[in-house]
Amino acid sequence: MSTPILSAHNLVKHFKAGGFGAARKFVRAVNDVSFELASGETLGVVGESGCGKSTMARLLVQLLTPDSGEVHYQGKVVGRELPLKAFRSKVQMVFQDSFASLNPRMTMIDAVAFGPTVHGMSRSDATRKAQDLLDRVGLDPSRFGGRYAHELSGGQRQRVNIARALAFDPQVIVLDEAVSALDKSVEAQVLNLLMDLRRERGLTYVFISHDLNVVRHISDRVMVMYLGEVAEIGPVESLYSAPCHPYTQALLAAMPSLDPDRRTMEAPLAGDPPNPIDPPQGCRFHTRCSRVFAPCSAQAPAQHKVGKTHFAACHLNSAKEHVA
Amino acid sequence: MTPFRSPNDTPLVRVRDLSVRFAGTPPVHAVNSVSFDLAPGEVLGILGESGSGKSVTLKTLLRLLPERKTRITGQVEVDGQDVLALQGRALADHRGGVASMIFQDPSLALDPVYTIGQQIAETVIRHDGLSKSDAMARALEMLEIVRIPSAKRRLANYPHEMSGGMRQRAMIALALACRPKLLLADEPTTALDATVQIQILLLLRDLQKELGMGVIFVTHDIGVAVEVSDRLAVMYAGSFVETGSVKDVIRDARHPYSKGLLAANLVGAAPGTRLDAVPGAPPPLNALPEGCSFAPRCAHAETACSMSPLPIWNGGNGRWARCVQASCLGALADAESTS
């Protein structure tokens, strides 16, 4: 792979969660997460709530400062070698809550034009650009440009958020559950828009979602997270057809089948995900894993290579590697 | 309009021409002449997007809508009782005794200042007149039925001490404590993680078989509906647009809206390709178009679509779709098969 456009190196983020002194507790939201993004690819990120996918996204766009670890943009360390302002115009984010992420006192034209003016574009140029972008995302600027956030539907607001992210001509867009709050028929429209924009502008996406069907549809590679760590990462076809981590297998088996003749007969996992405040020792998944064996509770597994670009953090695969 | 007739002759639920209006200028037409039957022991899935009227339909069956702001017309019978005529104690007996409901968010539906045991016992004492200790024993039994681990200890837990999946199990235990004949489920797994959602779905499916109750399951997720339902009704802008057995609706959807929903769920879509998305958004419920309310978004819309009443394609055995195109195509197919 040539220089990745964006890469995360050993990102760690712990949040304080009550207690004092030695008894202070931490939510280990993101624990030693590393990955690379090639230019033009889409990385899907899946996992249950509390697995750290949103924290990871916020670290990636530098909305949160990591406790340790670095983000590199085209090989440069963000913050140290690349100023944040320059980085922000290259890497943008779209959030799940389309209403909360728009200023309620700004018209849609102003919301989209705001970023470029801050970055030095003249007001008239920025407004013209905003009009073009609104038009591109499927909102007639003469009809919707003067409206406020509460005067739009959820799908329309999310289109504005996408237009706003595009206003900087970014290379990378991090989409944090950007279509999850939308109704299915509207979600399909927004997915189509995202796929069109990706092709037109050669965009790179980090697509975070809990919906495995959507992730499969839009992604080139998929990363599975569990309790702040990467359980498995690999190309979409091999990860879905031959998952190598028991957690990925469970996630896939837990998808409702769309075939009335082949309904799910058994739940793949029992119980809820453990509390990230006190994650289990060793492999974090061993308390729910059906294939747990001796080393799982003692030692955290390393990322084992199970394919050319396919890695899984599970002891089962180390055994496989040794046998082979 | 052809009612959604079930094979059984004495339905558990019988709804005819149910319409619900909320006061306002103009009034909101939340539900528009919905008719269906539910046989005892049958599971009906109602599939629809937000604002399609699926939750309002469900709440009408328990009369949970604010009386003064709501105008309900039509007939609603549950277990032979006219629900719309119930008042006072009889209504209270109906709620939780004959029919009960589980909600999307158990942390809002459960009372935060009582333990799970107390909440279940209270219901049992009210409906079945048991003593306090007997009611607690029933509560324990219910927690075991919904497979909450170490049920005895959990009986004394407050809702905030439980995880999301556990709370949802506790709410199911509460709803089933008085052995209702009808369970109304309003998106009970939407707020849950995927691995927990499937556990709750399988639990509901098992309990439904064990207890033989009728279930109306409202969801926006086709996958979830397929996992639990025997029959499916697709709802759009306050009306049922298509109904039939799960297999028929999933494999051979006739209404363009049902087809669009299936496409949006990526049924059979090749990765990376453009989706066959339905354009636009549902109409506002206070200004519904004449005739077919889906027509403004429909690729096959024609002038006949703005007429009312709309023609209905009838596939027999409770299978129908309210669509001009489907009824024309259906008539053509019938003519071909007879000639």
Side-chain angles (χ1 to χ4, degrees), chain B residues 24-55:
Chain B
T25 38
V28 175
H29 294 225
V31 176
N32 304 304
S33 69
V34 162
S35 302
F36 66 89
D37 285 350
L38 182 81
E42 188 185 32
V43 184
L44 169 70
I46 300 182
L47 190 64
E49 296 180 296
S50 45
S52 61
K54 51 196 194 314
S55 293

Side-chain angles (χ1 to χ4, degrees), chain A residues 25-79:
Chain A
K25 288 175 177 166
F26 289 94
V27 176
R28 293 166 211 281
V30 168
N31 221 21
D32 196 16
V33 167
S34 305
F35 60 90
E36 294 182 342
L37 267 176
S39 182
E41 82 167 338
T42 296
L43 176 71
V45 181
V46 296
E48 293 174 287
S49 51
C51 75
K53 34 188 210 304
S54 288
T55 305
M56 191 278 296
R58 283 171 163 78
L59 290 173
L60 203 59
V61 298
Q62 302 282 308
L63 282 177
L64 288 172
T65 324
D67 295 346
S68 68
E70 290 168 343
V71 175
H72 293 194
Y73 179 77
Q74 289 181 332
K76 292 191 194 121
V77 183
V78 175

Side-chain angles (χ1 to χ4, degrees), chain A residues 48-49 183-186 188-189 191-192 195-196 213-214 216-217 250-251 254-261 263-273 288, chain B residues 49-50 163 165 193-199 202 205 222-223 226-229 246-247 250-251 264-267 270-275 277-280 297:
Chain A
E48 293 174 287
S49 51
D183 274 322
K184 270 288 162 198
S185 65
V186 180
Q189 298 166 16
L191 281 176
N192 277 341
M195 289 189 288
D196 291 347
N213 273 325
V214 172
R216 179 180 209 166
H217 191 79
L251 266 188
M255 285 163 72
S257 87
L258 281 161
D259 185 347
D261 284 333
R263 287 182 174 180
T264 311
M265 293 322 287
E266 210 180 322
L269 291 181
D272 296 68
R288 297 172 85 197
Chain B
E49 296 180 296
S50 45
S163 67
D193 279 319
T195 57
V196 182
Q197 162 171 297
I198 196 76
Q199 296 171 30
L202 296 184
R205 209 161 76 191
I222 291 190
V226 170
E227 287 285 358
V228 296
S229 329
V246 168
K247 271 183 212 174
I250 295 295
R251 301 241 169 94
N265 275 276
L266 309 165
V267 178
T273 53
R274 275 186 68 90
L275 299 164
V278 180
R297 302 174 74 185

